[in-house]
Amino acid sequence: MEIKTTLLDSMAIDRALRRISHEIIENNKGVSNVVLLGIARGGIPICERLAENINKIENTFVPVGKLDITLYRDDLDVVGAEAKVTGSQIDFSLRDKDVVLCDDVLFTGRTVRAGIEAVFKLGRPRTIQLAVLIDRGHRELPIRADYVGKNVPTSREEVVSVSFDNNDDKAVILRAKK
């Protein structure tokens, strides 16, 4: 695979996540009832950055957890033994909370569906909202993000990759080498 185009560089990712942080605060009328859950793996750095931003803006810490959706995937029978269960790390109750699921790329909606199912196994939140850095379209399920860093039309053959590497964060579109 080779890079076709860079969607967001480090500064653009920071700006998008700051904007999403403000939107989460505004839409929830503060963050007193908000918890953030990063869908393993790509959603965890998004979740952590949003929590840092919200802390800077509101001067309050929002609970942050890591959500492992492996056992809730609808292709588990295909992935089988290759599936790596890391386990969720959530040390707070989700009951009656406003849960913001965080992920890097929204594509078919299947990962988010698995995330919602995992959340309901852990408790009954008041709301579940979705924050993603990139929405690339091609939905197979009726799922939409509440907070989006960037909407990017892509072909099904392309891959959107988000990497967090110190100060060299980036979101790119990859395509097969010619």
Side-chain angles (χ1 to χ4, degrees), residues 45-76:
I46 303 290
C47 182
E48 291 169 345
R49 296 267 183 98
L50 292 174
E52 287 173 21
N53 290 340
I54 290 170
N55 180 35
K56 288 176 186 172
I57 298 164
E58 292 288 295
N59 198 27
T60 187
F61 290 98
V62 176
V64 172
K66 298 175 182 178
L67 187 65
D68 182 355
I69 62 157
T70 305
L71 297 177
Y72 301 96
R73 293 173 53 133
D74 62 3
D75 63 350
L76 197 54

Side-chain angles (χ1 to χ4, degrees), residues 125-137:
R126 183 168 73 180
T127 64
I128 299 177
Q129 302 162 40
L130 178 60
V132 298
L133 183 61
I134 304 287
D135 183 345
R136 63 173 290 192

Side-chain angles (χ1 to χ4, degrees), residues 64-139:
V64 172
K66 298 175 182 178
L67 187 65
D68 182 355
I69 62 157
T70 305
L71 297 177
Y72 301 96
R73 293 173 53 133
D74 62 3
D75 63 350
L76 197 54
D77 59 332
V78 176
V79 178
E82 294 179 28
K84 301 280 189 259
V85 178
T86 58
S88 296
Q89 297 174 357
I90 302 168
D91 59 0
F92 47 86
S93 172
L94 301 182
R95 177 165 285 293
D96 295 323
K97 295 294 183 184
D98 295 308
V99 173
V100 180
L101 277 180
C102 305
D103 207 0
D104 54 352
V105 179
L106 177 57
F107 184 31
T108 62
R110 292 180 182 277
T111 297
V112 175
R113 186 222 38 93
I116 292 168
E117 190 174 333
V119 166
F120 278 116
K121 290 285 185 186
L122 296 168
R124 190 173 193 287
R126 183 168 73 180
T127 64
I128 299 177
Q129 302 162 40
L130 178 60
V132 298
L133 183 61
I134 304 287
D135 183 345
R136 63 173 290 192
H138 301 286
R139 226 60 92 240

